[in-house]
PDB file of all heavy atoms in Angstrom:
ATOM      1  N   PHE A 280       2.599  -8.513   2.508  1.00  0.00           N
ATOM      2  CA  PHE A 280       3.879  -8.645   1.786  1.00  0.00           C
ATOM      3  C   PHE A 280       4.773  -9.600   2.545  1.00  0.00           C
ATOM      4  O   PHE A 280       5.434 -10.505   1.945  1.00  0.00           O
ATOM      5  CB  PHE A 280       4.509  -7.271   1.634  1.00  0.00           C
ATOM      6  CG  PHE A 280       5.792  -7.272   0.927  1.00  0.00           C
ATOM      7  CD1 PHE A 280       5.866  -7.708  -0.422  1.00  0.00           C
ATOM      8  CD2 PHE A 280       6.956  -6.811   1.515  1.00  0.00           C
ATOM      9  CE1 PHE A 280       7.074  -7.713  -1.098  1.00  0.00           C
ATOM     10  CE2 PHE A 280       8.152  -6.808   0.829  1.00  0.00           C
ATOM     11  CZ  PHE A 280       8.216  -7.272  -0.482  1.00  0.00           C
ATOM     12  N   ALA A 281       4.856  -9.428   3.897  1.00  0.00           N
ATOM     13  CA  ALA A 281       5.708 -10.306   4.697  1.00  0.00           C
ATOM     14  C   ALA A 281       5.239 -11.764   4.586  1.00  0.00           C
ATOM     15  O   ALA A 281       6.061 -12.677   4.467  1.00  0.00           O
ATOM     16  CB  ALA A 281       5.709  -9.843   6.143  1.00  0.00           C
ATOM     17  N   ALA A 282       3.951 -12.024   4.600  1.00  0.00           N
ATOM     18  CA  ALA A 282       3.402 -13.354   4.458  1.00  0.00           C
ATOM     19  C   ALA A 282       3.775 -13.954   3.120  1.00  0.00           C
ATOM     20  O   ALA A 282       4.171 -15.140   3.024  1.00  0.00           O
ATOM     21  CB  ALA A 282       1.882 -13.336   4.612  1.00  0.00           C
ATOM     22  N   ALA A 283       3.768 -13.145   2.058  1.00  0.00           N
ATOM     23  CA  ALA A 283       4.171 -13.679   0.732  1.00  0.00           C
ATOM     24  C   ALA A 283       5.613 -14.029   0.711  1.00  0.00           C
ATOM     25  O   ALA A 283       6.032 -15.094   0.185  1.00  0.00           O
ATOM     26  CB  ALA A 283       3.878 -12.615  -0.355  1.00  0.00           C
ATOM     27  N   LEU A 284       6.466 -13.181   1.324  1.00  0.00           N
ATOM     28  CA  LEU A 284       7.894 -13.518   1.386  1.00  0.00           C
ATOM     29  C   LEU A 284       8.151 -14.757   2.208  1.00  0.00           C
ATOM     30  O   LEU A 284       8.973 -15.593   1.847  1.00  0.00           O
ATOM     31  CB  LEU A 284       8.663 -12.293   1.961  1.00  0.00           C
ATOM     32  CG  LEU A 284       8.725 -11.050   1.055  1.00  0.00           C
ATOM     33  CD1 LEU A 284       9.457  -9.952   1.811  1.00  0.00           C
ATOM     34  CD2 LEU A 284       9.344 -11.358  -0.271  1.00  0.00           C
ATOM     35  N   GLU A 285       7.467 -14.898   3.319  1.00  0.00           N
ATOM     36  CA  GLU A 285       7.602 -16.105   4.163  1.00  0.00           C
ATOM     37  C   GLU A 285       7.162 -17.401   3.410  1.00  0.00           C
ATOM     38  O   GLU A 285       7.818 -18.415   3.508  1.00  0.00           O
ATOM     39  CB  GLU A 285       6.823 -15.932   5.447  1.00  0.00           C
ATOM     40  CG  GLU A 285       7.418 -14.951   6.409  1.00  0.00           C
ATOM     41  CD  GLU A 285       6.530 -14.610   7.582  1.00  0.00           C
ATOM     42  OE1 GLU A 285       5.367 -15.029   7.586  1.00  0.00           O
ATOM     43  OE2 GLU A 285       7.019 -13.861   8.454  1.00  0.00           O
ATOM     44  N   ASP A 286       6.126 -17.220   2.620  1.00  0.00           N
ATOM     45  CA  ASP A 286       5.676 -18.385   1.816  1.00  0.00           C
ATOM     46  C   ASP A 286       6.722 -18.759   0.789  1.00  0.00           C
ATOM     47  O   ASP A 286       7.017 -19.951   0.600  1.00  0.00           O
ATOM     48  CB  ASP A 286       4.323 -18.046   1.110  1.00  0.00           C
ATOM     49  CG  ASP A 286       3.804 -19.223   0.348  1.00  0.00           C
ATOM     50  OD1 ASP A 286       3.487 -20.268   0.986  1.00  0.00           O
ATOM     51  OD2 ASP A 286       3.702 -19.124  -0.890  1.00  0.00           O
ATOM     52  N   ILE A 287       7.340 -17.774   0.164  1.00  0.00           N
ATOM     53  CA  ILE A 287       8.426 -18.021  -0.804  1.00  0.00           C
ATOM     54  C   ILE A 287       9.579 -18.728  -0.093  1.00  0.00           C
ATOM     55  O   ILE A 287      10.175 -19.662  -0.585  1.00  0.00           O
ATOM     56  CB  ILE A 287       8.857 -16.758  -1.522  1.00  0.00           C
ATOM     57  CG1 ILE A 287       7.758 -16.333  -2.477  1.00  0.00           C
ATOM     58  CG2 ILE A 287      10.168 -16.988  -2.291  1.00  0.00           C
ATOM     59  CD1 ILE A 287       7.938 -14.948  -3.069  1.00  0.00           C
ATOM     60  N   ALA A 288       9.936 -18.219   1.092  1.00  0.00           N
ATOM     61  CA  ALA A 288      11.068 -18.786   1.839  1.00  0.00           C
ATOM     62  C   ALA A 288      10.765 -20.246   2.231  1.00  0.00           C
ATOM     63  O   ALA A 288      11.666 -21.091   2.166  1.00  0.00           O
ATOM     64  CB  ALA A 288      11.354 -17.971   3.089  1.00  0.00           C
ATOM     65  N   THR A 289       9.513 -20.553   2.545  1.00  0.00           N
ATOM     66  CA  THR A 289       9.122 -21.920   2.967  1.00  0.00           C
ATOM     67  C   THR A 289       8.977 -22.845   1.764  1.00  0.00           C
ATOM     68  O   THR A 289       9.482 -23.967   1.818  1.00  0.00           O
ATOM     69  CB  THR A 289       7.846 -21.859   3.781  1.00  0.00           C
ATOM     70  OG1 THR A 289       8.042 -20.986   4.906  1.00  0.00           O
ATOM     71  CG2 THR A 289       7.391 -23.272   4.244  1.00  0.00           C
ATOM     72  N   ASN A 290       8.340 -22.400   0.755  1.00  0.00           N
ATOM     73  CA  ASN A 290       7.938 -23.258  -0.368  1.00  0.00           C
ATOM     74  C   ASN A 290       8.710 -23.060  -1.640  1.00  0.00           C
ATOM     75  O   ASN A 290       8.494 -23.763  -2.641  1.00  0.00           O
ATOM     76  CB  ASN A 290       6.420 -23.098  -0.646  1.00  0.00           C
ATOM     77  CG  ASN A 290       5.616 -23.366   0.590  1.00  0.00           C
ATOM     78  OD1 ASN A 290       5.746 -24.375   1.217  1.00  0.00           O
ATOM     79  ND2 ASN A 290       4.695 -22.441   0.919  1.00  0.00           N
ATOM     80  N   GLY A 291       9.536 -22.017  -1.688  1.00  0.00           N
ATOM     81  CA  GLY A 291      10.263 -21.687  -2.942  1.00  0.00           C
ATOM     82  C   GLY A 291       9.365 -20.868  -3.870  1.00  0.00           C
ATOM     83  O   GLY A 291       8.180 -20.610  -3.580  1.00  0.00           O
ATOM     84  N   LEU A 292       9.912 -20.561  -4.993  1.00  0.00           N
ATOM     85  CA  LEU A 292       9.166 -19.762  -5.998  1.00  0.00           C
ATOM     86  C   LEU A 292       8.166 -20.655  -6.699  1.00  0.00           C
ATOM     87  O   LEU A 292       8.431 -21.837  -6.920  1.00  0.00           O
ATOM     88  CB  LEU A 292      10.157 -19.157  -7.035  1.00  0.00           C
ATOM     89  CG  LEU A 292      11.091 -18.039  -6.469  1.00  0.00           C
ATOM     90  CD1 LEU A 292      12.108 -17.709  -7.484  1.00  0.00           C
ATOM     91  CD2 LEU A 292      10.272 -16.838  -6.093  1.00  0.00           C
ATOM     92  N   PRO A 293       7.044 -20.067  -7.083  1.00  0.00           N
ATOM     93  CA  PRO A 293       6.043 -20.857  -7.786  1.00  0.00           C
ATOM     94  C   PRO A 293       6.497 -21.213  -9.226  1.00  0.00           C
ATOM     95  O   PRO A 293       7.352 -20.499  -9.765  1.00  0.00           O
ATOM     96  CB  PRO A 293       4.799 -19.932  -7.828  1.00  0.00           C
ATOM     97  CG  PRO A 293       5.329 -18.548  -7.633  1.00  0.00           C
ATOM     98  CD  PRO A 293       6.601 -18.725  -6.808  1.00  0.00           C
ATOM     99  N   ASP A 294       5.901 -22.207  -9.807  1.00  0.00           N
ATOM    100  CA  ASP A 294       6.197 -22.612 -11.140  1.00  0.00           C
ATOM    101  C   ASP A 294       5.669 -21.506 -12.083  1.00  0.00           C
ATOM    102  O   ASP A 294       4.552 -21.095 -11.991  1.00  0.00           O
ATOM    103  CB  ASP A 294       5.436 -23.917 -11.457  1.00  0.00           C
ATOM    104  CG  ASP A 294       5.657 -24.364 -12.898  1.00  0.00           C
ATOM    105  OD1 ASP A 294       6.608 -23.888 -13.561  1.00  0.00           O
ATOM    106  OD2 ASP A 294       4.832 -25.159 -13.378  1.00  0.00           O
ATOM    107  N   PRO A 295       6.585 -20.953 -12.973  1.00  0.00           N
ATOM    108  CA  PRO A 295       6.164 -19.872 -13.843  1.00  0.00           C
ATOM    109  C   PRO A 295       4.973 -20.200 -14.699  1.00  0.00           C
ATOM    110  O   PRO A 295       4.177 -19.311 -15.053  1.00  0.00           O
ATOM    111  CB  PRO A 295       7.407 -19.602 -14.729  1.00  0.00           C
ATOM    112  CG  PRO A 295       8.549 -20.105 -13.855  1.00  0.00           C
ATOM    113  CD  PRO A 295       8.010 -21.248 -13.093  1.00  0.00           C
ATOM    114  N   GLU A 296       4.803 -21.476 -15.050  1.00  0.00           N
ATOM    115  CA  GLU A 296       3.641 -21.881 -15.861  1.00  0.00           C
ATOM    116  C   GLU A 296       2.322 -21.751 -15.097  1.00  0.00           C
ATOM    117  O   GLU A 296       1.263 -21.638 -15.728  1.00  0.00           O
ATOM    118  CB  GLU A 296       3.831 -23.361 -16.309  1.00  0.00           C
ATOM    119  CG  GLU A 296       5.051 -23.551 -17.249  1.00  0.00           C
ATOM    120  CD  GLU A 296       4.943 -22.726 -18.485  1.00  0.00           C
ATOM    121  OE1 GLU A 296       3.832 -22.604 -19.059  1.00  0.00           O
ATOM    122  OE2 GLU A 296       5.964 -22.188 -18.916  1.00  0.00           O
ATOM    123  N   GLN A 297       2.388 -21.688 -13.762  1.00  0.00           N
ATOM    124  CA  GLN A 297       1.191 -21.567 -12.973  1.00  0.00           C
ATOM    125  C   GLN A 297       0.890 -20.124 -12.592  1.00  0.00           C
ATOM    126  O   GLN A 297      -0.123 -19.844 -11.910  1.00  0.00           O
ATOM    127  CB  GLN A 297       1.304 -22.409 -11.691  1.00  0.00           C
ATOM    128  CG  GLN A 297       1.544 -23.895 -11.939  1.00  0.00           C
ATOM    129  CD  GLN A 297       0.431 -24.504 -12.689  1.00  0.00           C
ATOM    130  OE1 GLN A 297      -0.753 -24.278 -12.434  1.00  0.00           O
ATOM    131  NE2 GLN A 297       0.762 -25.329 -13.693  1.00  0.00           N
ATOM    132  N   CYS A 298       1.712 -19.211 -13.008  1.00  0.00           N
ATOM    133  CA  CYS A 298       1.577 -17.813 -12.634  1.00  0.00           C
ATOM    134  C   CYS A 298       0.862 -17.023 -13.685  1.00  0.00           C
ATOM    135  O   CYS A 298       0.891 -17.381 -14.912  1.00  0.00           O
ATOM    136  CB  CYS A 298       2.961 -17.183 -12.423  1.00  0.00           C
ATOM    137  SG  CYS A 298       3.855 -17.902 -10.996  1.00  0.00           S
ATOM    138  N   THR A 299       0.291 -15.912 -13.313  1.00  0.00           N
ATOM    139  CA  THR A 299      -0.399 -15.019 -14.261  1.00  0.00           C
ATOM    140  C   THR A 299       0.609 -13.974 -14.700  1.00  0.00           C
ATOM    141  O   THR A 299       1.295 -13.352 -13.879  1.00  0.00           O
ATOM    142  CB  THR A 299      -1.594 -14.271 -13.551  1.00  0.00           C
ATOM    143  OG1 THR A 299      -2.438 -15.248 -12.976  1.00  0.00           O
ATOM    144  CG2 THR A 299      -2.326 -13.364 -14.528  1.00  0.00           C
ATOM    145  N   PRO A 300       0.770 -13.824 -16.062  1.00  0.00           N
ATOM    146  CA  PRO A 300       1.733 -12.808 -16.545  1.00  0.00           C
ATOM    147  C   PRO A 300       1.361 -11.386 -16.047  1.00  0.00           C
ATOM    148  O   PRO A 300       0.193 -11.081 -15.898  1.00  0.00           O
ATOM    149  CB  PRO A 300       1.576 -12.889 -18.041  1.00  0.00           C
ATOM    150  CG  PRO A 300       0.939 -14.199 -18.317  1.00  0.00           C
ATOM    151  CD  PRO A 300       0.101 -14.522 -17.092  1.00  0.00           C
ATOM    152  N   TRP A 301       2.405 -10.594 -15.788  1.00  0.00           N
ATOM    153  CA  TRP A 301       2.161  -9.267 -15.228  1.00  0.00           C
ATOM    154  C   TRP A 301       1.330  -8.405 -16.162  1.00  0.00           C
ATOM    155  O   TRP A 301       0.559  -7.554 -15.705  1.00  0.00           O
ATOM    156  CB  TRP A 301       3.454  -8.603 -14.880  1.00  0.00           C
ATOM    157  CG  TRP A 301       4.279  -8.131 -16.007  1.00  0.00           C
ATOM    158  CD1 TRP A 301       5.306  -8.844 -16.621  1.00  0.00           C
ATOM    159  CD2 TRP A 301       4.226  -6.903 -16.667  1.00  0.00           C
ATOM    160  NE1 TRP A 301       5.787  -8.129 -17.662  1.00  0.00           N
ATOM    161  CE2 TRP A 301       5.201  -6.903 -17.703  1.00  0.00           C
ATOM    162  CE3 TRP A 301       3.444  -5.766 -16.503  1.00  0.00           C
ATOM    163  CZ2 TRP A 301       5.398  -5.800 -18.565  1.00  0.00           C
ATOM    164  CZ3 TRP A 301       3.669  -4.674 -17.371  1.00  0.00           C
ATOM    165  CH2 TRP A 301       4.616  -4.720 -18.347  1.00  0.00           C
ATOM    166  N   GLU A 302       1.440  -8.655 -17.495  1.00  0.00           N
ATOM    167  CA  GLU A 302       0.668  -7.879 -18.426  1.00  0.00           C
ATOM    168  C   GLU A 302      -0.835  -8.084 -18.225  1.00  0.00           C
ATOM    169  O   GLU A 302      -1.612  -7.093 -18.317  1.00  0.00           O
ATOM    170  CB  GLU A 302       1.029  -8.211 -19.887  1.00  0.00           C
ATOM    171  CG  GLU A 302       2.470  -7.874 -20.277  1.00  0.00           C
ATOM    172  CD  GLU A 302       3.432  -9.021 -20.004  1.00  0.00           C
ATOM    173  OE1 GLU A 302       3.113 -10.000 -19.338  1.00  0.00           O
ATOM    174  OE2 GLU A 302       4.592  -8.904 -20.470  1.00  0.00           O
ATOM    175  N   LYS A 303      -1.207  -9.349 -17.943  1.00  0.00           N
ATOM    176  CA  LYS A 303      -2.661  -9.617 -17.694  1.00  0.00           C
ATOM    177  C   LYS A 303      -3.083  -8.956 -16.432  1.00  0.00           C
ATOM    178  O   LYS A 303      -4.196  -8.418 -16.361  1.00  0.00           O
ATOM    179  CB  LYS A 303      -2.885 -11.130 -17.570  1.00  0.00           C
ATOM    180  CG  LYS A 303      -3.148 -11.805 -18.840  1.00  0.00           C
ATOM    181  CD  LYS A 303      -3.476 -13.255 -18.602  1.00  0.00           C
ATOM    182  CE  LYS A 303      -4.612 -13.714 -19.451  1.00  0.00           C
ATOM    183  NZ  LYS A 303      -4.928 -15.141 -19.267  1.00  0.00           N
ATOM    184  N   LEU A 304      -2.284  -8.997 -15.392  1.00  0.00           N
ATOM    185  CA  LEU A 304      -2.598  -8.336 -14.103  1.00  0.00           C
ATOM    186  C   LEU A 304      -2.759  -6.834 -14.321  1.00  0.00           C
ATOM    187  O   LEU A 304      -3.656  -6.263 -13.755  1.00  0.00           O
ATOM    188  CB  LEU A 304      -1.518  -8.662 -13.049  1.00  0.00           C
ATOM    189  CG  LEU A 304      -1.375 -10.148 -12.638  1.00  0.00           C
ATOM    190  CD1 LEU A 304      -0.144 -10.308 -11.762  1.00  0.00           C
ATOM    191  CD2 LEU A 304      -2.622 -10.613 -11.971  1.00  0.00           C
ATOM    192  N   ARG A 305      -1.818  -6.267 -15.091  1.00  0.00           N
ATOM    193  CA  ARG A 305      -1.890  -4.824 -15.298  1.00  0.00           C
ATOM    194  C   ARG A 305      -3.193  -4.481 -16.021  1.00  0.00           C
ATOM    195  O   ARG A 305      -3.907  -3.489 -15.637  1.00  0.00           O
ATOM    196  CB  ARG A 305      -0.680  -4.379 -16.155  1.00  0.00           C
ATOM    197  CG  ARG A 305      -0.742  -2.889 -16.505  1.00  0.00           C
ATOM    198  CD  ARG A 305       0.262  -2.507 -17.583  1.00  0.00           C
ATOM    199  NE  ARG A 305      -0.110  -3.191 -18.796  1.00  0.00           N
ATOM    200  CZ  ARG A 305       0.768  -3.572 -19.731  1.00  0.00           C
ATOM    201  NH1 ARG A 305       2.048  -3.349 -19.586  1.00  0.00           N
ATOM    202  NH2 ARG A 305       0.356  -4.154 -20.818  1.00  0.00           N
ATOM    203  N   GLU A 306      -3.542  -5.188 -17.082  1.00  0.00           N
ATOM    204  CA  GLU A 306      -4.742  -4.909 -17.824  1.00  0.00           C
ATOM    205  C   GLU A 306      -5.975  -5.018 -16.982  1.00  0.00           C
ATOM    206  O   GLU A 306      -6.906  -4.258 -17.094  1.00  0.00           O
ATOM    207  CB  GLU A 306      -4.838  -5.772 -19.059  1.00  0.00           C
ATOM    208  CG  GLU A 306      -3.760  -5.478 -20.112  1.00  0.00           C
ATOM    209  CD  GLU A 306      -3.726  -4.033 -20.557  1.00  0.00           C
ATOM    210  OE1 GLU A 306      -4.834  -3.429 -20.752  1.00  0.00           O
ATOM    211  OE2 GLU A 306      -2.624  -3.444 -20.692  1.00  0.00           O
ATOM    212  N   ALA A 307      -6.022  -6.077 -16.126  1.00  0.00           N
ATOM    213  CA  ALA A 307      -7.202  -6.267 -15.249  1.00  0.00           C
ATOM    214  C   ALA A 307      -7.289  -5.147 -14.250  1.00  0.00           C
ATOM    215  O   ALA A 307      -8.391  -4.608 -13.968  1.00  0.00           O
ATOM    216  CB  ALA A 307      -7.045  -7.611 -14.506  1.00  0.00           C
TER     217      ALA A 307
END
Side-chain angles (χ1 to χ4, degrees):
F280 181 61
L284 293 177
E285 288 170 353
D286 183 63
I287 290 170
T289 301
N290 303 310
L292 291 171
D294 177 19
E296 297 299 320
Q297 302 299 317
C298 295
T299 305
W301 71 269
E302 295 91 349
K303 272 186 139 176
L304 296 172
R305 179 193 62 210
E306 293 304 320

